Amino acid sequence: MPVIAFLLCIVVTTFTAIYLYRKLNPQGVLMLAGLIMLTFALVLNVQPVIPDKPTGSVVFDLVKIVEETFISNLSRAGLMIMTIGGYVAFMNHIKATNALVHISMKPLGFFRRYPYLAATVTIPIGQLLFITTPSAAGLGLLLVASVYPVLIGLGVSRLTALSVIAAATLFDQGPGSANTALAAELIDQTNVAYFITHQLPLVIPTTLVVMTLFYFNNRYFDKKRSRQAECGK
């Protein structure tokens, strides 16, 4: 049974990746994929998922689990994302982003000569913030409002700036992460102890590798796009 469940998981993941690549509505695709995998889990009884108040029916239990998940996420990550989104909109409305760029240019002027270094340094800074903001969407919005315009002002391309912001949320880490809580529970440790003893020894060297790869990768593709643009003219 676990083998069948694993194969079904691979199939669903593959089709999800294909439909996302074809630019279908990501919210609908991901939600449908989650519902299908949750249904498989309930039917195959691989990982029993039971709502707080079971109804006795697999179909109604599935609906109940979805309802409880939506309510839980809305009260935690949902409110955080909406708050940060409102902050970003307010920053743009009062032109605070332009002021931030103007103020930052003088102390960060050194990075004008090394824009890719500035972009790469954003990755560990974002990961530190990710520890206190365990929401990839929320942190992404926050960095787009604060770090993104500064990077653009330093001469970083838009795609490079966005790529390092996405890389900052690459590792789901920190004591506040749901995955950290689950992993810590499985090995009978506290979230903080698991983060210090298991996550940090892996995250630090992996971050250095990611920074190196992003530095050379972004520089290569930016130069390639520049040459293509010049040929197009």
Side-chain angles (χ1 to χ4, degrees):
M1 195 68 70
V3 176
I4 297 176
F6 176 75
L7 293 176
L8 290 173
C9 179
I10 294 296
V11 172
V12 174
T13 304
T14 302
F15 276 100
T16 301
I18 292 173
Y19 287 129
L20 289 176
Y21 179 76
R22 293 180 177 177
K23 299 183 179 180
L24 269 70
N25 183 274
Q27 295 88 345
V29 171
L30 292 174
M31 183 174 180
L32 180 61
L35 290 174
I36 292 173
M37 295 180 72
L38 185 60
T39 303
F40 286 154
L42 287 171
V43 173
L44 299 176
N45 199 30
V46 176
Q47 180 66 41
V49 184
I50 304 173
D52 293 336
K53 296 180 180 180
T55 62
S57 169
V58 174
V59 176
F60 290 119
D61 279 353
L62 177 62
V63 175
K64 195 70 177 176
I65 291 170
V66 174
E67 177 189 356
E68 292 174 357
T69 303
F70 269 104
I71 293 174
S72 175
N73 288 340
L74 180 62
S75 62
R76 293 186 289 106
L79 288 176
M80 181 187 300
I81 293 172
M82 286 188 288
T83 302
I84 295 175
Y87 166 76
V88 172
F90 180 71
M91 286 273 288
N92 291 331
H93 178 70
I94 64 174
K95 306 298 182 182
T97 301
N98 298 336
L100 175 65
V101 174
H102 178 73
I103 295 173
S104 302
M105 284 305 100
K106 188 173 182 179
L108 297 178
F110 166 79
F111 287 105
R112 283 184 177 273
R113 293 178 290 175
Y114 308 99
Y116 294 101
L117 179 60
T120 304
V121 171
T122 302
I123 297 176
I125 294 174
Q127 288 180 342
L128 288 174
L129 292 174
F130 198 31
I131 296 175
T132 58
T133 310
S135 167
L139 179 61
L141 284 172
L142 190 61
L143 293 178
V144 165
S146 55
V147 176
Y148 176 79
V150 175
L151 291 177
I152 298 300
L154 292 173
V156 176
S157 70
R158 296 178 184 273
L159 289 177
T160 295
L162 291 175
S163 72
V164 294
I165 288 175
T169 63
L170 186 63
F171 305 109
D172 191 359
Q173 62 181 6
S177 168
N179 289 330
T180 300
L182 178 59
E185 182 181 353
L186 291 175
I187 63 174
D188 196 23
Q189 279 191 338
T190 63
N191 291 11
V192 176
Y194 176 80
F195 170 66
I196 294 174
T197 59
H198 291 81
Q199 285 188 332
L200 278 182
L202 290 175
V203 168
I204 292 174
T206 308
T207 299
L208 295 175
V209 174
V210 170
M211 290 172 65
T212 304
L213 292 175
F214 268 70
Y215 179 88
F216 290 104
N217 181 76
N218 286 328
R219 189 171 67 170
Y220 168 77
F221 281 104
D222 280 350
K223 289 183 178 179
K224 183 178 180 181
R225 280 191 295 270
S226 179
R227 288 195 299 267
Q228 290 175 345
E230 290 177 0
C231 293
K233 292 180 180 179

